[in-house]
Amino acid sequence: EKAEFDFIAPTSVRFSQDSQHLAYSARQGQRFRLVLDGKTGNQGYDDMPDAPSLFSPDNRRVATVARRNSKFVAVEPEHEGPQYDEGWDASLAFSPDSKHLAYVAVRRGRTIIVVDDHDTCEYESAFRKLVFEGSESVRAVGTRFDSALREEVVSVAIKVP
């Protein structure tokens, strides 16, 4: 049985790289859901971005971000990550072997690199982009202001827990 939706976010629609799966954000009543192949497996959320979901390299996993009770969460169809104050959907990254999911979140004003639902470390830098270097480490790239208030690029390698 297919679910019926009040609204499908048009730019959230994404096919997997092998074209075998379709994911998108949709609203049922007042709740948003991540839909994979016509099925909703996750809880409802207050909001989801009108941005494409991210498929893993092996096409078996898909992730996006959502808000519940003003908190940011990373969402997969059958899994929800921990809650944070803020987060960036563009920072979602899967490892090349598809086993690890990483993203940037903020808690109490501190930037946190999250890997597989674990806070790996906190920074004052504003990281926005994550890139896996193999399956053992992830590189966070962002900016911060130095003591003279000049913006500088920051790059940090983090070992996967």
Side-chain angles (χ1 to χ4, degrees):
E1 180 179 325
K2 298 273 181 179
E4 291 189 23
F5 305 107
D6 302 319
F7 173 77
I8 295 174
T11 60
S12 74
V13 178
R14 166 75 51 99
F15 279 98
S16 59
Q17 295 91 317
D18 64 3
S19 300
Q20 299 301 304
H21 304 284
L22 177 66
Y24 52 90
S25 301
R27 189 182 73 224
Q28 285 180 309
Q30 298 300 312
R31 309 301 283 171
F32 284 84
R33 300 181 184 284
L34 174 60
V35 181
L36 177 62
D37 299 330
K39 298 175 187 163
T40 60
N42 54 15
Q43 304 175 26
Y45 300 95
D46 300 331
D47 193 22
M48 288 183 128
D50 191 5
S53 300
L54 177 69
F55 276 94
S56 61
D58 69 2
N59 301 301
R60 294 181 181 182
R61 296 175 67 187
V62 63
T64 191
V65 298
R67 285 201 171 281
R68 179 184 297 125
N69 301 323
S70 300
K71 296 292 185 179
F72 163 91
V73 292
V75 176
E76 293 185 70
E78 299 294 332
H79 179 75
E80 176 181 303
Q83 294 185 355
Y84 296 93
D85 299 331
E86 291 293 331
W88 291 273
D89 58 322
S91 74
L92 288 169
F94 279 106
S95 61
D97 65 4
S98 302
K99 292 181 180 178
H100 307 286
L101 175 64
Y103 53 93
V104 177
V106 174
R107 183 182 290 137
R108 294 182 299 279
R110 304 277 298 179
T111 300
I112 302 167
I113 309 303
V114 182
V115 181
D116 298 334
D117 295 342
H118 295 94
D119 295 3
T120 59
C121 42
E122 292 187 13
Y123 296 94
E124 291 180 7
S125 303
F127 293 110
R128 295 287 193 268
K129 181 71 176 166
L130 298 179
V131 178
F132 272 89
E133 298 174 329
S135 294
E136 301 303 317
S137 71
V138 63
R139 180 159 299 277
V141 180
T143 60
R144 70 176 174 200
F145 290 96
D146 66 14
S147 59
L149 297 180
R150 293 180 300 233
E151 191 171 30
E152 61 184 4
V153 174
V154 178
S155 177
V156 176
I158 299 151
K159 188 165 178 58
V160 171

